[in-house]
Amino acid sequence: MKIRDDYTCPLEIVHDIIKGKWKTIILYQMKDGPKGLSELEHEIEGITQKMLLEQLRELIQFGLVEKKTFEGYPLRVEYSITERRGRKMIEAITIMQMIGIDYMLENIQYGKYFNLENERIKVVELVKIVEESDML
């Protein structure tokens, strides 16, 4: 994906860089350290390997992720957040996550964001994330 040549605001560039369903999720999965392709694929529910590779390629192109290939057999590849742009983006994504969690917790009584029957998102997990981030 190419960043457009004409823009009126730097936020348009950032939007172009992270737009889509997967990029912020991929970046957030790498916040604690390098990850292999199969590790990312297993941690991100619903993403195909083809889509993951495409998104990683774009994140590398934009300078948010770096790829390290290790010699030997079997071939091993790790992806990690870059210090310059990637770490800054993780800070922004963490803030966005806290806003989302806050909104979800406010709307629990309305049943809008929780399917308690399949328990994909548990209130306890959300509270733990909030507590760990000192956002309470």
Side-chain angles (χ1 to χ4, degrees):
M1 181 171 149
K2 185 176 180 252
I3 295 178
R4 56 187 132 169
D5 293 327
D6 293 330
Y7 54 90
T8 58
C9 171
L11 287 174
E12 289 180 56
I13 297 171
V14 175
H15 179 263
D16 284 354
I17 290 172
I18 64 167
K19 73 179 170 185
K21 180 177 181 179
W22 300 111
K23 288 189 184 107
T24 54
I25 296 168
I26 294 167
L27 288 168
Y28 197 76
Q29 289 298 320
M30 291 189 286
K31 74 181 182 344
D32 294 324
K35 301 273 182 156
L37 183 67
S38 62
E39 192 175 2
L40 286 169
E41 195 174 353
H42 286 95
E43 290 176 355
I44 303 171
E45 185 177 328
I47 195 166
T48 64
Q49 188 177 70
K50 179 182 176 187
M51 180 57 70
L52 178 57
L53 286 167
E54 182 180 313
Q55 299 296 295
L56 285 166
R57 224 177 347 265
E58 289 180 14
L59 290 167
I60 291 167
Q61 175 188 349
F62 297 137
L64 297 173
V65 169
E66 57 192 6
K67 176 182 176 180
K68 185 175 182 181
T69 305
F70 296 89
E71 292 186 25
Y73 183 81
L75 180 65
R76 190 169 63 108
V77 176
E78 281 185 350
Y79 297 91
S80 59
I81 300 292
T82 60
E83 288 302 315
R84 182 168 173 232
R85 284 193 190 133
R87 283 283 154 218
K88 288 180 186 176
M89 189 63 74
I90 290 296
E91 292 173 22
I93 291 169
T94 301
I95 291 168
M96 291 189 294
Q97 182 189 38
M98 292 298 105
I99 293 167
I101 289 170
D102 184 54
Y103 189 83
M104 290 171 76
L105 290 172
E106 279 180 5
N107 288 280
I108 286 174
Q109 70 256 24
Y110 305 113
K112 290 181 180 178
Y113 298 100
F114 294 92
N115 180 347
L116 296 178
E117 290 177 13
N118 81 15
E119 296 183 324
R120 283 188 59 189
I121 299 174
K122 297 179 182 173
V123 176
V124 175
E125 293 172 2
L126 293 175
V127 171
K128 182 180 175 191
I129 292 169
V130 172
E131 288 173 347
E132 288 173 355
S133 67
D134 297 326
M135 294 288 284
L136 281 179

